[in-house]
Amino acid sequence: MDLFEYQGKQYFSQFDIPVSAGGVATTVDEAVAVAQKAGYPVVVKAQVQVGGRGKAGGIKLANDATEVRTHAGNILGMDIKGHVVKRIWVENASDIKAEYYASFTLDRAAKQHLLMLSVEGGVEIEEVAAKNPEAIIKLHINPVDGLSLTAAKKAVVDAKIPAEAQAGVAEMLIKLYRCFTEGDCDLAEINPLILKPTGEIHALDAKVSLDENAEFRHPEWAEFMATIELDAREKLAREYGLQYIGLDGTVGIIANGAGLAMSTLDVVNQVGGTAANFLDIGGGANADLMAHALEVINSDKNVKSIFINIFGGITRGEEVAKGIVEAMSRVDLRAPIVIRLDGTNAQEGREILANAGIPASKLTSKPTMLDAARAAVELAQK
Ligand code: GDP
Ligand code: MN
């Protein structure tokens, strides 16, 4: 789960990482009120989950209320790489002597944490990474040992952080690493991490991605979860507790097991179609679950056909079939279903479907995954 900058900063504060005073605003008037409180000059910052806001005109300095009005007015509603700005963060502006880059991520291949640190932080970091990669130092950290202050100090020297900032940056790395580990982040990035003329080290931006698998031990994440921007389909799926991801194709997909669901997407693609979603209904396939799954897919206006792909292992074919029949009596589907039912008790299941009195225009059964995919794609292209 990606956080907005203001949420990332809120999270940083919990780990003692210094950030600027400010507040969130959704209107120009609110922005002025927040600016008044934060103290001028302020920076007006677009809150969208995409990088390069500064270059896109989404970060502006304002010296008084008139300037806040102008910038807030321009930035609210602005489209930054397809993300429309609905919120802005207004914070007390900082004086900058130097901009550095620091991040922690998990290097899955190395099975270690990875620190990246650079003396050349700021909006050009991608450029630095492409043209001058040795300006970004990388340090692998064994998660069992963690990051020691000695190792952090060495990294700071290796990255050629100037002497006046070394102690502060090393201390900041320790705090950011604590945020990354104890805070269960997939990513904790500060760019720019600034040196102020006063010598203080300060986080001017925050990019935090939380590991949702750790949600159970972070009740405080609830407020972050509440602001996740899901589309209507995904919201409904979440309410039902379904493993659903909305896509933009025309074939609605229901499969049991994440692996089979992904293969189903591939097969639909292979025969020239496009999937409208990923949906894994897991091991059980009772009527409630099936009805919820069909309801979510039915709420997607792009869906022209529905491909149900079930391989029964523990899940039994006749249970799935009964679930579908009952679900179809509860949900008035706009699109026809093509089903491939295989595995445990598949034959019994197919018989239930065949004898349920559902017209062939609404439900067809195909013996193989490939046949079913072809039929579903054909229906979607009609
Ligand atoms: P990004 O472009 O989305 O990464 O947004 P940032 O929050 O990193 O801001 C981009 C750039 O704006 C920074 O690298 C700074 O150079 C500048 N900036 C942001 N906040 C301030 C501030 O408080 N004072 C000054 N002087 N510049 C700022
Ligand atoms: Mn930034």
Side-chain angles (χ1 to χ4, degrees):
M1 173 179 43
D2 295 336
L3 299 188
F4 288 104
E5 175 198 0
Y6 74 91
Q7 296 172 325
K9 286 183 168 170
Q10 200 177 317
Y11 209 49
F12 281 174
S13 298
Q14 291 180 27
F15 296 91
D16 235 13
I17 297 169
V19 294
S20 309
V24 182
T26 54
T27 65
V28 171
D29 287 338
E30 274 174 27
V32 173
V34 172
Q36 224 72 34
K37 228 173 132 196
Y40 291 106
V42 293
V43 187
V44 181
K45 310 186 79 174
Q47 296 301 291
V48 282
Q49 289 171 343
V50 62
R53 295 167 304 161
K55 283 186 170 178
I59 311 273
K60 294 284 181 194
L61 197 77
N63 289 299
D64 53 40
T66 313
E67 288 184 13
V68 171
R69 284 193 180 280
T70 307
H71 296 315
N74 289 338
I75 294 173
L76 282 166
M78 182 185 271
D79 185 311
I80 300 180
K81 301 177 189 167
H83 296 246
V84 177
V85 182
K86 294 186 189 133
R87 287 188 203 94
I88 48 180
W89 167 253
V90 180
E91 71 174 26
N92 182 246
S94 304
D95 289 329
I96 303 174
K97 188 165 178 191
E99 301 194 353
Y100 310 132
Y101 172 95
S103 73
F104 288 98
T105 48
L106 175 66
D107 182 340
R108 288 175 197 279
K111 298 181 183 166
Q112 295 199 316
H113 294 150
L114 179 66
L115 160 69
M116 288 196 269
L117 180 66
S118 179
V119 73
E120 293 184 37
V123 296
E124 301 295 345
I125 192 71
E126 276 88 9
E127 187 94 349
V128 174
K131 295 201 174 137
N132 189 17
E134 61 282 3
I136 303 172
I137 65 116
K138 294 182 178 179
L139 175 70
H140 279 102
I141 302 149
N142 185 327
V144 177
D145 303 335
L147 178 67
S148 68
L149 186 58
T150 313
K153 282 182 175 163
K154 181 176 181 305
V156 164
V157 172
D158 289 348
K160 302 194 172 66
I161 302 283
E164 59 176 322
Q166 282 174 4
V169 172
E171 193 192 327
M172 193 69 70
L173 292 180
I174 297 295
K175 289 177 180 172
L176 188 61
Y177 186 69
R178 249 195 76 214
C179 173
F180 176 72
T181 51
E182 291 172 31
D184 286 307
C185 301
D186 282 330
L187 165 73
E189 179 191 87
I190 308 178
N191 184 38
L193 176 66
I194 61 162
L195 168 65
K196 291 186 177 184
T198 53
E200 291 156 286
I201 304 296
H202 187 90
L204 210 57
D205 192 4
K207 200 162 171 187
V208 173
S209 189
L210 301 174
D211 177 358
E212 283 180 48
N213 294 309
E215 192 189 337
F216 70 94
R217 57 180 169 225
H218 293 282
E220 81 278 13
W221 287 4
E223 61 175 305
F224 298 148
M225 301 298 251
T227 60
I228 291 183
E229 291 180 344
L230 300 172
D231 65 27
R233 304 173 294 172
E234 288 177 328
K235 268 195 197 123
L236 188 60
R238 193 169 276 245
E239 275 168 31
Y240 287 143
L242 295 170
Q243 301 296 321
Y244 174 95
I245 295 164
L247 303 168
D248 49 18
T250 55
V251 181
I253 307 276
I254 298 176
N256 66 327
L260 185 61
M262 285 194 276
S263 310
T264 309
L265 262 62
D266 286 345
V267 173
V268 164
N269 229 3
Q270 185 194 327
V271 298
T274 52
N277 64 275
F278 168 98
L279 202 174
D280 163 22
I281 54 165
N286 60 37
D288 271 346
L289 195 61
M290 198 51 90
H292 291 163
L294 286 172
E295 199 185 315
V296 170
I297 288 183
N298 208 37
S299 75
D300 182 342
K301 299 281 173 287
N302 290 331
V303 167
K304 297 285 182 295
S305 69
I306 301 166
F307 179 6
I308 302 181
N309 191 7
I310 304 288
F311 189 92
I314 298 167
T315 310
R316 300 201 318 268
E318 82 275 17
E319 288 295 326
V320 175
K322 280 183 206 153
I324 292 173
V325 172
E326 198 192 318
M328 284 183 81
S329 72
R330 278 157 56 177
V331 187
D332 187 18
L333 294 175
R334 291 177 299 103
I337 295 178
V338 179
I339 179 165
R340 174 259 186 162
L341 187 57
D342 211 339
T344 310
N345 295 357
Q347 192 49 40
E348 289 87 331
R350 287 190 207 120
E351 274 162 27
I352 290 171
L353 290 174
N355 298 327
I358 302 167
S361 61
K362 290 206 160 171
L363 180 89
T364 43
S365 185
K366 294 284 176 188
T368 71
M369 183 153 151
L370 194 58
D371 285 336
R374 283 206 182 97
V377 170
E378 200 174 300
L379 285 167
Q381 289 169 347
K382 252 190 196 160

